[in-house]
């Protein structure tokens, strides 16, 4: 079973819940798909045993073959290629803007002179390892790289279908989070009881409905703010599966990179209950 | 016109609360909410929408079932696994490259432009405000950010405003790069946690990669004064200007719940701390 933990708004406690759920269950595989800001390793402290550099294809032009016909520019939907005039070899120039390239392959397929070959451009790293019995994989996007989805797909390719997989998704409601949660059996949306938390929960719930992924809510920092998240969930019949009260002790442990269950072992039972509830509401018990 | 972006790396550090307070501080400005995925600034600025615009972020392949002969070419060529059995195009995964449409031997695929959000120009009592709503499960947030920034900068030029204040998204990817590109200064708002420092470093490296000057402030610094000290040391050692500390105060959430900026809620301590940061930014 694949459970992803997501939230529209960042900083609601997504990583806290994913990490503590994983530690409480023990025998799971943890995939940190927040490749822009991977944080789970700070808490899980896995022993990393493997590291792979991840590449995406970008075109490379062989100007000795190129006739500057402009076909590659015409087929590129992302303005990632510019062709500057000229006729015979060396008469003009072709510029590739790697950060705009989606690696779709259209330019190399359509170049009439077979002057384009694809080379790999590194966008980041996938690292994996173990912590006690738990499998751990995360991605790290290189600084300055714009597109995280190809790297997120590489992290997800490592999912072990024989185990319970917990995915820590990036925040938001657009491409990175969609790439991360796609294919999950269930998604737990973490929110906090503030107007920001509610606003972003509504957006994230809309996204999961579109993706047809069953979901429920966990309320973190319960007790701050107001009761409008509860009202919304009641009105929409979205189950609230867990509430974690605001506590300076938990916040303090978080700030030092210590998982809450290491400090308060009694919490592990609550996270195991959360898992049973997830199995019940997702119908996979 | 001076362009200032407020970013954080990690989400939930209080970036929007800080940006909204800047709106209420001296200086003529246009505010822009570039966190288009999870736009929250409007909850504190109470905009009155003056203009609405559709955002067309790209296109999606559409298969005409009447013309399709099930040859399987489209799903074989699509590198984004967007063509599912049927064949049917899953719009969440279609990047709109158009390759399938060009290669379909029966001309059964066309590319349709998608409306993937809306953006607004609004009035607030603090001045103009440009914001957006990304459609559910849509991509291309970087392009939407670029579009609303252009609109805001046009307004600032026309109305001769002193500042463009950008509330940026979390992370370091495409919408963050679009929020940072060409600004005069980025303020990183972080929190005194290991994750906060880790993520702030990554967004500061991203800013440095694009040669953008960075300043850093620690929010809720007293939740872990030691870690705050470490973050200050980190700034000193790396030549990053430390812009200030902001105290943890439950009244901040109360103000937020009441839809007020810290400045308007009359919170003197936190309000003065944010004011000092603003003064340093515009100096
Ligand atoms: S399509 Fe090929 S030949 Fe034509 S301009 Fe591009 S690289 Fe050169
Ligand atoms: S691979 Fe696709 S996106 Fe990249 S340059 Fe070629 S046509 Fe453009
Ligand atoms: S390539 Fe065209 S004809 Fe072939 S399966 Fe796809 S849509 Fe149908
Ligand atoms: S347009 Fe590109 S991404 Fe979309 S379905 Fe066709 S080949 Fe795939």
């Amino acid at each position: 079973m694949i459970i992803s933990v997501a939230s529209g708004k960042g900083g609601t406690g997504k990583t806290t819940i994913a990490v503590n759920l994983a530690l409480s269950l023990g025998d799971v595989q943890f995939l940190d798909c927040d490749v822009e800001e991977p944080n789970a390793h700070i808490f899980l402290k896995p022993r990393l045993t493997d590291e792979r550099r991840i590449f995406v294809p970008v075109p490379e032009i062989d100007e000795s073959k190129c006739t500057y016909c402009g076909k590659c520019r015409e087929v590129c939907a992302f303005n990632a290629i510019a062709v500057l005039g000229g006729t015979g070899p060396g008469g003009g120039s072709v510029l590739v803007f790697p950060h705009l390239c989606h690696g779709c392959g259209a330019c190399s397929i359509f170049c009439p002179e077979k002057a384009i070959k694809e080379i790999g451009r590194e966008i980041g790293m996938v690292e994996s390892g173990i912590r006690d019995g738990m499998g751990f994989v995360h991605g790290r996007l290189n600084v300055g790289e714009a597109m995280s989805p190809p790297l997120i797909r590489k992290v997800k390719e490592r999912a072990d279908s024989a185990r319970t997989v917990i995915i820590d998704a990036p925040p938001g409601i657009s491409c990175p989070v969609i790439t991360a949660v796609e294919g999950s059996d269930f998604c737990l949306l973490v929110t906090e009881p503030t107007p920001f938390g509610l606003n972003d929960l509504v957006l994230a719930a809309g996204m999961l409905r579109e993706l047809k992924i069953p979901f429920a809510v966990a309320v973190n920092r319960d007790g701050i703010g107001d009761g409008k998240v509860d009202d919304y969930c009641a009105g929409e019949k979205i189950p609230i599966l867990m509430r974690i009260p605001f506590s300076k002790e938990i916040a303090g442990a978080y700030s030092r990179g210590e998982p809450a269950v290491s400090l308060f072992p009694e919490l592990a039972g609550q996270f195991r209950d959360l898992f049973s509830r997830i199995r019940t509401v997702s119908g996979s018990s | 016109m001076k362009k200032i972006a407020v970013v954080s790396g990690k989400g939930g550090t209080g970036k929007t609360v800080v940006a909204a307070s800047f709106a209420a501080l001296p200086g003529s400005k246009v505010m822009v909410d570039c966190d288009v995925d999870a736009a929250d600034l409007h909850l504190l600025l109470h905009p009155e929408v003056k203009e609405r615009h559709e955002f067309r972020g790209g296109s999606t392949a559409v298969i005409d079932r009447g013309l399709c002969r099930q040859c399987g070419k489209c799903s074989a060529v699509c590198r984004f696994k967007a063509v599912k059995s049927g064949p049917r195009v899953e719009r969440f995964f279609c990047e709109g490259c158009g390759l399938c449409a060009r290669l379909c031997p029966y001309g059964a695929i066309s590319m349709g432009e998608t409306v993937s959000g809306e953006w607004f120009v609004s009035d607030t009592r603090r001045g103009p405000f440009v914001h957006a709503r990304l459609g559910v499960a849509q991509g291309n947030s970087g392009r939407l950010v670029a579009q609303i920034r252009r609109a805001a900068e046009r307004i600032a030029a026309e109305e001769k405003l002193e500042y463009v204040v950008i509330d940026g998204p979390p992370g370091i990817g495409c919408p963050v790069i679009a929020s940072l590109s060409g600004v005069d200064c980025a303020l990183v708002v972080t929190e005194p946690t290991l994750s906060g420092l880790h993520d702030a470093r990554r967004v500061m490296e991203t800013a440095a990669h694009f040669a953008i000057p960075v300043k850093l402030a620690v929010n809720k610094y007293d939740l872990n004064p030691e870690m705050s000290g470490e973050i200050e040391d980190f700034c000193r050692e790396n030549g990053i200007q430390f812009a200030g500390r902001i105290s943890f105060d439950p009244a901040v959430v109360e103000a937020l719940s009441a839809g007020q900026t810290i400045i308007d809620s009359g919170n003197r301590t936190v309000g003065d701390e944010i004011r000092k940061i603003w003064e340093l930014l515009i100096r």
Side-chain angles (χ1 to χ4, degrees):
Chain A
M1 177 180 198
I2 303 178
I3 301 171
S4 50
V5 183
S7 72
K9 175 170 158 37
T12 54
K14 188 170 55 56
T15 300
T16 300
I17 291 196
V19 158
N20 286 290
L21 176 62
L23 286 170
S24 306
L25 297 174
D27 179 20
V28 298
Q29 187 195 32
F30 193 100
L31 306 183
D32 188 351
C33 287
D34 189 355
V35 302
E36 292 181 40
E37 299 291 14
N39 281 336
H41 69 101
I42 295 174
F43 301 91
L44 293 173
K45 303 178 183 67
R47 193 160 50 81
L48 295 175
T49 50
D50 182 65
E51 119 185 355
R52 296 181 198 180
R53 294 157 69 201
I54 302 301
F55 299 86
V56 291
V58 279
E60 187 181 61
I61 318 292
D62 178 347
E63 297 221 9
S64 70
K65 292 187 186 158
C66 174
T67 57
Y68 311 102
C69 71
K71 187 73 186 173
C72 51
R73 185 204 53 220
E74 180 201 320
V75 300
C76 179
F78 308 104
N79 303 316
I81 296 193
V83 180
L84 306 173
T87 43
S93 92
V94 180
L95 298 170
V96 177
F97 305 106
H99 287 88
L100 297 176
C101 173
H102 288 228
C104 70
C107 54
S108 52
I109 291 172
F110 283 98
C111 171
E113 310 298 331
K114 304 261 170 290
I116 302 182
K117 79 165 195 260
E118 292 186 303
I119 54 167
R121 189 171 69 86
E122 185 186 320
I123 56 162
M125 197 85 100
V126 171
E127 295 175 310
S128 58
I130 44 168
R131 164 180 168 137
D132 302 327
M134 186 193 302
F136 178 88
V137 187
H138 77 179
R140 229 173 222 293
L141 187 69
N142 286 350
V143 159
E145 242 0 284
M147 286 173 227
S148 57
L151 183 55
I152 295 172
R153 278 182 219 119
K154 290 289 176 190
V155 175
K156 291 182 69 181
E157 277 173 16
R158 305 283 290 278
D160 178 352
S161 55
R163 303 180 82 172
T164 297
V165 177
I166 295 177
I167 290 179
D168 189 0
I173 58 162
S174 65
C175 356
V177 59
I178 293 166
T179 308
V181 302
E182 186 271 315
S184 297
D185 299 295
F186 188 80
C187 182
L188 186 65
L189 282 179
V190 182
T191 189
E192 59 180 32
T194 65
F196 289 4
L198 174 61
N199 184 60
D200 302 346
L201 171 64
V202 173
L203 298 171
M207 171 189 77
L208 291 172
R209 286 191 181 119
E210 286 269 324
L211 293 171
K212 300 188 177 65
I213 297 173
F215 65 98
V217 164
V219 178
N220 192 23
R221 302 195 191 99
D222 199 24
I224 67 166
D226 54 35
K228 296 203 177 84
V229 164
D230 282 52
D231 297 345
Y232 166 76
C233 290
E236 298 279 318
K237 299 198 170 42
I238 301 170
I240 295 178
L241 300 187
M242 188 179 202
R243 291 170 193 278
I244 303 180
F246 176 73
S247 129
K248 276 204 160 177
E249 287 74 34
I250 293 178
Y254 177 89
S255 75
R256 296 185 300 271
E258 292 169 28
V261 291
S262 321
L263 247 79
F264 308 100
E266 65 278 13
L267 280 176
Q270 293 183 33
F271 280 100
R272 282 192 292 269
D273 289 347
L274 169 66
F275 183 62
S276 325
R277 287 190 205 112
I278 288 174
R279 291 174 67 102
T280 312
V281 298
S282 67
S284 63
S285 48
Chain B
M1 182 203 315
K2 190 170 178 180
K3 295 172 247 176
I4 299 169
V6 186
V7 292
S8 63
K10 180 176 172 354
T13 60
K15 178 175 53 61
T16 299
V17 166
V18 172
S21 301
F22 289 166
L25 289 167
S28 61
K29 56 186 96 63
V30 52
M31 301 293 298
V32 204
D33 191 350
C34 288
D35 189 359
V36 296
D37 258 43
D40 286 334
L41 192 54
H42 65 281
L43 297 170
L44 298 180
L45 295 182
H46 310 288
E48 197 185 307
V49 175
K50 293 286 171 197
E51 291 173 27
R52 272 169 197 277
H53 302 268
E54 272 180 0
F55 168 61
R56 296 175 185 275
S59 51
T60 308
V62 184
I63 297 176
D64 182 334
R65 292 299 199 92
L67 295 175
C68 171
R69 305 240 201 125
Q70 309 273 340
C71 74
K73 181 95 184 168
C74 48
S75 75
V77 299
C78 176
R79 291 196 176 165
F80 308 101
K81 300 195 175 78
V83 184
K84 307 290 179 195
S85 61
R88 173 182 68 84
V89 175
E90 181 58 89
R91 76 162 174 95
F92 310 123
F93 301 114
C94 174
E95 304 221 359
C97 69
L99 186 59
C100 57
R102 288 181 192 278
L103 289 177
C104 170
Y106 303 99
I109 308 181
S110 56
M111 299 303 294
E113 220 183 34
T114 41
V115 176
S116 45
E118 258 189 309
W119 60 276
F120 316 96
V121 177
S122 297
D123 271 348
T124 74
R125 70 190 180 98
R126 303 299 185 184
F129 175 39
V130 186
H131 48 127
R133 185 161 45 216
L134 195 63
V136 166
Q138 288 290 349
N140 277 318
S141 50
R143 256 150 98 174
L144 180 53
V145 167
Q147 185 144 16
I148 64 176
R149 275 197 55 191
R150 270 198 302 278
E153 282 159 27
R154 201 189 55 233
I155 293 169
E158 280 168 12
E159 302 187 11
K160 300 197 170 43
L161 304 174
E162 290 167 273
Y163 307 105
V164 178
V165 177
I166 296 162
D167 184 10
I172 62 166
C174 103
V176 177
I177 293 172
S179 301
L180 287 174
S181 97
V183 301
D184 297 288
C185 171
L187 174 70
V188 174
V189 177
T190 194
E191 58 178 32
T193 65
L194 269 179
S195 315
L197 174 58
H198 175 270
D199 296 355
R201 285 175 69 158
R202 289 189 34 100
V203 75
M204 288 190 288
E205 285 168 22
T206 305
H209 185 93
F210 295 100
I212 289 159
V214 182
K215 296 178 173 37
L216 178 141
V218 180
N219 190 20
K220 306 179 224 172
Y221 82 96
D222 42 349
L223 281 180
N224 188 335
E226 264 170 48
M227 186 65 67
S228 294
E230 269 179 48
I231 294 174
E232 281 178 51
D233 291 345
F234 172 84
C235 289
R236 208 170 301 119
E237 286 155 20
N238 291 277
I240 291 154
Q241 189 176 11
F242 185 74
R245 301 177 198 96
I246 304 167
S247 312
F248 172 73
D249 183 346
V252 170
V253 175
E254 280 162 34
L256 197 161
S257 299
Q260 282 182 323
T261 70
I262 302 306
I263 307 299
D264 292 324
S265 74
N267 185 323
R268 288 297 283 277
T269 316
V270 178
D272 284 348
E273 288 164 342
I274 296 179
R275 186 187 310 269
K276 284 208 190 96
I277 294 170
W278 174 246
E279 284 164 1
L280 188 121
L281 286 178
I282 64 175
R283 193 177 294 154

